[in-house]
Amino acid sequence: MADPIARHPFSGTGNKTVTFSNVASFLVFFNDGTTDITINAGQFQTIVKGGDAFDERLDPFSELLITGSGSYHGYVRVRGVG
């Protein structure tokens, strides 16, 4: 199986739904603000505290729901993309 590669960078402030053209299995998310941000990727949900980062392998997903008022940025890693 091919090593995962970074794709689909995103950034923003406040609530946002991000739809990816590839199915991702890894999420890298940085909370650039001071308030908590909730992220939902498929069936997975977590809170990323202000100033913290999240970098994990997850069940495959193609949409990310971001809920909060602070700023953030991140990207996903996908497998098998040529």
Side-chain angles (χ1 to χ4, degrees):
M1 183 178 289
D3 288 336
I5 59 172
R7 287 284 168 113
H8 310 298
F10 59 87
S11 62
T13 301
N15 298 339
K16 186 174 190 175
T17 299
V18 183
T19 303
F20 306 108
S21 58
N22 301 97
V23 174
S25 295
F26 297 81
L27 174 62
V28 180
F29 185 93
F30 301 92
N31 183 340
D32 300 323
T34 58
T35 60
D36 294 354
I37 295 178
T38 301
I39 53 176
N40 292 278
Q43 299 298 313
F44 181 81
Q45 178 178 351
T46 193
I47 295 172
V48 182
K49 298 287 188 184
D52 281 354
F54 177 87
D55 183 355
E56 292 293 337
R57 181 177 180 185
L58 304 172
D59 287 330
F61 63 98
S62 59
E63 187 173 89
L64 179 66
L65 176 62
I66 303 165
T67 308
S69 60
S71 60
Y72 50 82
H73 72 281
Y75 58 93
V76 295
R77 294 187 192 107
V78 299
R79 290 188 184 271
V81 175

